Amino acid sequence: MTSKALLYKRKILKELCFGNVLSALELSIRIEKSLPLTTRILNELVDEQILKESGYASSTGGRRPQRYSLVAGKMYVVSVAMDQLVTRIGIIDLQNCDISLSQKYNLVLSHNDASLSTLTKYINGFIKKSGIKKDKILGVGIGMPGFVDVDKGVNYSFLDHKGESIPAYIEEIIELPVFIDNDSSVIALTELKLGSAINTKNTMVINLGWGVGLGMIINGKLFRGNNGFAGEFSHIPLFENNKLCACGKSGCLETETSLLVVIEKAKKELDKGRVSIIKKIPADFEEACNTIISAAINGDQMAVELLLNMAYDLGKGIATLIHIFNPELIVLSGRGASAGNMLLAPIQHAINKYCIPRLSAYTKVIISTFSKSAELIGGAALVIENYDKKHSKQLITLLNN
Amino acid sequence: MTSKALLYKRKILKELCFGNVLSALELSIRIEKSLPLTTRILNELVDEQILKESGYASSTGGRRPQRYSLVAGKMYVVSVAMDQLVTRIGIIDLQNCDISLSQKYNLVLSHNDASLSTLTKYINGFIKKSGIKKDKILGVGIGMPGFVDVDKGVNYSFLDHKGESIPAYIEEIIELPVFIDNDSSVIALTELKLGSAINTKNTMVINLGWGVGLGMIINGKLFRGNNGFAGEFSHIPLFENNKLCACGKSGCLETETSLLVVIEKAKKELDKGRVSIIKKIPADFEEACNTIISAAINGDQMAVELLLNMAYDLGKGIATLIHIFNPELIVLSGRGASAGNMLLAPIQHAINKYCIPRLSAYTKVIISTFSKSAELIGGAALVIENYDKKHSKQLITLLNN
DNA sequence: TCGAACTAATTAAATTTTTTAAAAAGTTTT
DNA sequence: AAAACTTTTTAAAAAATTTAATTAGTTCGA
């Protein structure tokens, strides 16, 4: 097979990932190739049993177009979602985007080689345990906190490998293409490919959790900035509150709006003797979040108040984004999104206060429908994003069998 | 000539605008066509005397590549730069990007049809007076203040034409393709095509004048937002100063950092009896700016103090941009840029205070080298940007003669 | 219910474009 | 002065697109 035909096949497979079912004409437009060429490649892929015909689309006044989709169990991606304390690894069938298997590991991130080799061992072990052959796995996508330079493959905050490429190190050992990115970018990719931001060109995805991350979709593509550090929304100077931030400055957005701050404030209130259905805040971050959010959902006044105040302050930050980007959509995602629609009213309130009405009128704010799986699925999107760019031995094998 | 060959010719001409001189190989890469095809088209264009061979590039270790450039006096663009009170119209030779002729008109912008028809008359009269035949003019590019929706051709702040397209109206009368855009976007285009932002992928251009505008270059292209309103940097909520802004809110960046604010502050100081080489601030905005800036350059303490304070506050806004965009470059442009390097120190000071060092280290801040002509030249860039997209009768005529 | 009008898919031929390769023409380096 | 290198030119082969004609299936309205 010529290398060009292979490229076109990849482009088609890429379009059909994540459960997409498309007609020959639609595919021809998306891969920007002529219909005869697209049809030929499509037929080859069906012969190779990687694609299947899957029914007809409804007619728009004429013959119904044949639709194509991936065959299940043929193409997988391994995805890794990391935070400071816990790492989850999953394997995802690209046909339906289901997480076939996932596992949780305790891995405290530090800025040294040790975390990296541990991580690699975990991934390797996981793949073996999954029982899925490597030639069916397109690659490994890893979302991690910190300052990640995607091009250099370096994380300046964690997993230091003497400034050398992290993906290169892992690829060496597990023999699969590896891609890394910042956790907020990965969550934004999920919203873009499978979530509320599908088909949008200009969307801001806010990752509310430990801090406040931002993934930006600009012109329909994830924007990472010049060194991959774009979206450091957490630390824009927004308040004059004299509160010291983890970054060393004061008045950062993060000093008022993050789940960590809410937890701290809740502790203080309880210490002051405030009544609440919450008796004690758990030490574990994830449990603490769940405790406060579910208390709020159950109507606990203190929890509601804390979350609403946070949302209002976040709204001021969002107002800044609207002025700068004029986005069509803002998606609230990440762990904090599980507080749900409760957050929307104060955010909208702040937007009304801090935005020129002409601008805010064009931007919708919504809550992500994804639960915790957003980052895991985004890791798959990360691999697919690079699928028609980077050389992958796996597909060649798959296509030649 | 086939329509495809015409398209390729336009792509090549587009690359050679603004005084660019390129080799066949460079052009082939830029228009993304093969070298044999590019060479063929190039030869045709030379035969038609629209292009000329213009010397050799220096060798990089082998045969010196032949370079090509536009022939002077063949292709012009009419450019219009508007502000609230004054409109300048110029005609620009694309070969060397010189302003062949320009004229100033007093035109007070209002939100009605009258300004629009006056503007159209001025443009028409100017073209006639220039003595350049319309078949040599590729189009008209207009930069104007206000909320401009480029796609719809509508300005929501000024020049209302009952919500109908402004370019369509002008095109009808002057029979040339017309393009409009926001003034800050146009200035950013100038920096991208001819100024300090050439070849950058990710640059913020700040238009310091009446207010504070922002033109964003993202992935090497001007970013306008979902409705063309992106870059409303003026009105991000940044201060808690209780100062009412023209937009109705308080604490906007613009309430501390714009030349208008500096002028107001200067007046107040003088009224309070402060000593200064400035005796009286002229009523005219442009003259007032010049007075204060030149006083500062001559060492007047009051003028220096006012400008440095403004620059420091602007630096806080720039810190926000750096956190969000991680840009490689920030260009300070517009009328305020004539204060020059004086502004850089306080801006850098503010960046150091409000930015995470890891981030700010990657961003350079510079002052534009353009004087007032930036907006006029940008209008030309606006036409060229659309030159291989929109149908232009003019080029077909030009190429068929 | 039956065409007319429409949309989609298929096929083949003509045309365009790219790729590949080789040769020619200069430059620089050694 | 030869070797190494780069760009340009040319030509032929391969690939892709365009065009047009045909076939196939749907919808809609008379």
Side-chain angles (χ1 to χ4, degrees), chain A residues 22-34:
Chain A
L22 297 168
S23 73
L25 183 59
E26 286 168 321
L27 282 166
S28 140
I29 292 166
R30 294 205 188 189
I31 69 170
E32 297 182 307
K33 292 286 137 189
S34 70

Side-chain angles (χ1 to χ4, degrees), chain B residues 82-350:
Chain B
M82 310 181 78
D83 71 18
Q84 274 92 333
L85 300 173
V86 174
T87 289
R88 278 212 306 281
I89 308 181
I91 190 156
I92 292 167
D93 186 332
L94 290 171
Q95 190 269 322
N96 45 21
C97 223
D98 272 1
I99 299 169
S100 313
L101 175 72
S102 86
Q103 192 158 350
K104 214 168 145 178
Y105 299 84
N106 290 312
L107 175 60
V108 178
L109 272 186
S110 57
H111 196 38
N112 59 42
D113 245 9
S115 316
L116 180 56
S117 65
T118 309
L119 172 68
T120 311
K121 267 178 225 146
Y122 286 155
I123 298 175
N124 219 346
F126 176 85
I127 294 175
K128 280 191 185 126
K129 218 187 68 182
S130 78
I132 293 169
K133 281 188 190 154
K134 275 193 186 172
D135 63 7
K136 289 190 169 180
I137 300 173
L138 303 188
V140 180
I142 311 177
M144 47 179 71
F147 282 109
V148 178
D149 185 323
V150 173
D151 296 325
K152 291 191 184 139
V154 170
N155 185 331
Y156 291 102
S157 313
F158 303 107
L159 291 175
D160 184 38
H161 182 48
K162 291 164 196 128
E164 302 279 296
S165 163
I166 294 173
Y169 170 85
I170 305 177
E171 277 171 359
E172 183 90 7
I173 292 167
I174 64 173
E175 297 175 307
L176 283 172
V178 175
F179 304 92
I180 66 171
D181 207 337
N182 173 271
D183 48 3
S184 295
S185 293
V186 162
I187 286 173
L189 266 184
T190 304
E191 296 295 342
L192 176 64
K193 297 295 175 186
L194 285 144
S196 334
I198 294 179
N199 293 330
T200 63
K201 292 272 167 241
N202 188 2
T203 295
M204 305 284 114
V205 180
I206 288 163
N207 174 20
L208 184 56
W210 202 278
V212 200
L214 173 64
M216 289 166 284
I217 295 157
I218 293 182
N219 292 329
K221 275 171 49 186
L222 191 64
F223 172 70
R224 295 184 170 92
N226 197 45
N227 311 90
F229 306 155
E232 268 306 318
F233 190 45
S234 257
H235 301 288
I236 63 169
L238 201 67
F239 302 106
E240 281 160 21
N241 59 7
N242 201 32
K243 282 185 192 167
L244 192 67
C245 178
C247 75
K249 302 181 292 142
S250 73
C252 297
L253 176 67
E254 187 177 287
T255 60
E256 298 288 352
T257 69
S258 79
L259 294 179
L260 217 55
V261 170
V262 170
I263 292 171
E264 286 311 310
K265 283 186 177 169
K267 279 182 188 160
K268 268 192 199 151
E269 291 285 311
L270 289 180
D271 285 351
K272 275 197 267 175
R274 177 148 181 193
V275 290
S276 163
I277 42 176
I278 306 172
K279 291 307 157 212
K280 197 175 171 352
I281 307 283
D284 178 72
F285 173 69
E286 200 156 352
E287 283 177 43
C289 292
N290 293 340
T291 303
I292 294 175
I293 290 173
S294 68
I297 290 171
N298 287 317
D300 181 67
Q301 239 181 41
M302 181 192 80
V304 168
E305 187 184 304
L306 289 174
L307 285 175
L308 296 198
N309 284 342
M310 180 204 68
Y312 182 80
D313 287 335
L314 180 59
K316 190 176 175 185
I318 290 177
T320 301
L321 292 181
I322 292 176
H323 276 110
I324 292 177
F325 287 100
N326 174 222
E328 56 189 300
L329 183 67
I330 288 175
V331 182
L332 202 62
S333 190
R335 215 167 268 139
S338 53
N341 292 319
M342 181 194 304
L343 305 174
L344 283 183
I347 288 176
Q348 201 61 55
H349 184 180

Side-chain angles (χ1 to χ4, degrees), chain A residues 261-273:
Chain A
V261 170
V262 169
I263 292 170
E264 287 310 310
K265 283 186 177 170
K267 278 182 189 158
K268 268 192 199 148
E269 291 286 312
L270 289 180
D271 285 350
K272 276 197 266 173

Side-chain angles (χ1 to χ4, degrees), chain A residues 202 216 223 225-232 235 240 249 316 323-326 328 353-354 356 359 362, chain B residues 202 216 223 225-232 235 240 249 316 323-326 328 353-354 356 359 362:
Chain A
N202 187 3
M216 289 166 285
F223 172 70
N226 197 47
N227 312 89
F229 305 155
E232 267 306 318
H235 300 289
E240 281 161 22
K249 304 181 293 140
K316 190 175 175 185
H323 276 110
I324 292 176
F325 287 100
N326 173 221
E328 56 189 301
K353 176 163 177 196
Y354 292 111
I356 300 176
L359 270 171
Y362 290 97
Chain B
N202 188 2
M216 289 166 284
F223 172 70
N226 197 45
N227 311 90
F229 306 155
E232 268 306 318
H235 301 288
E240 281 160 21
K249 302 181 292 142
K316 190 176 175 185
H323 276 110
I324 292 177
F325 287 100
N326 174 222
E328 56 189 300
K353 175 162 179 196
Y354 292 111
I356 300 176
L359 269 172
Y362 290 99

Side-chain angles (χ1 to χ4, degrees), chain B residues 4-153:
Chain B
K4 260 203 159 168
L6 184 63
L7 177 68
Y8 299 153
K9 288 190 178 179
R10 287 197 183 188
K11 282 185 188 288
I12 287 176
L13 292 177
K14 191 173 166 176
E15 294 299 330
L16 292 175
C17 279
F18 309 120
N20 284 330
V21 185
L22 298 168
S23 73
L25 183 60
E26 286 169 321
L27 282 166
S28 140
I29 292 166
R30 294 205 187 189
I31 70 169
E32 297 183 306
K33 292 287 136 187
S34 69
L35 189 51
L37 180 60
T38 306
T39 311
R40 207 191 71 209
I41 296 168
L42 229 32
N43 289 335
E44 284 181 33
L45 283 168
V46 171
D47 288 345
E48 293 163 21
Q49 302 193 358
I50 296 166
L51 249 55
K52 64 170 193 282
E53 300 183 336
S54 59
Y56 297 92
S58 62
S59 167
T60 52
R63 179 171 175 173
R64 286 154 61 190
Q66 176 65 258
R67 307 199 311 159
Y68 297 86
S69 68
L70 296 184
V71 172
K74 294 270 176 172
M75 287 165 62
Y76 294 88
V77 165
V78 170
S79 178
V80 183
M82 310 181 78
D83 71 18
Q84 274 92 333
L85 300 173
V86 174
T87 289
R88 278 212 306 281
I89 308 181
I91 190 156
I92 292 167
D93 186 332
L94 290 171
Q95 190 269 322
N96 45 21
C97 223
D98 272 1
I99 299 169
S100 313
L101 175 72
S102 86
Q103 192 158 350
K104 214 168 145 178
Y105 299 84
N106 290 312
L107 175 60
V108 178
L109 272 186
S110 57
H111 196 38
N112 59 42
D113 245 9
S115 316
L116 180 56
S117 65
T118 309
L119 172 68
T120 311
K121 267 178 225 146
Y122 286 155
I123 298 175
N124 219 346
F126 176 85
I127 294 175
K128 280 191 185 126
K129 218 187 68 182
S130 78
I132 293 169
K133 281 188 190 154
K134 275 193 186 172
D135 63 7
K136 289 190 169 180
I137 300 173
L138 303 188
V140 180
I142 311 177
M144 47 179 71
F147 282 109
V148 178
D149 185 323
V150 173
D151 296 325
K152 291 191 184 139

Side-chain angles (χ1 to χ4, degrees), chain A residues 368-400:
Chain A
S368 169
T369 53
F370 277 97
S371 55
K372 290 173 283 181
S373 59
E375 201 181 340
L376 216 44
I377 290 170
L382 193 58
V383 176
I384 298 309
E385 195 190 20
N386 291 283
Y387 183 49
D388 55 352
K389 285 168 200 150
K390 197 165 173 177
H391 181 78
S392 144
K393 295 163 225 161
Q394 281 61 45
L395 184 69
I396 298 177
T397 322
L398 178 65
L399 285 174
N400 286 343

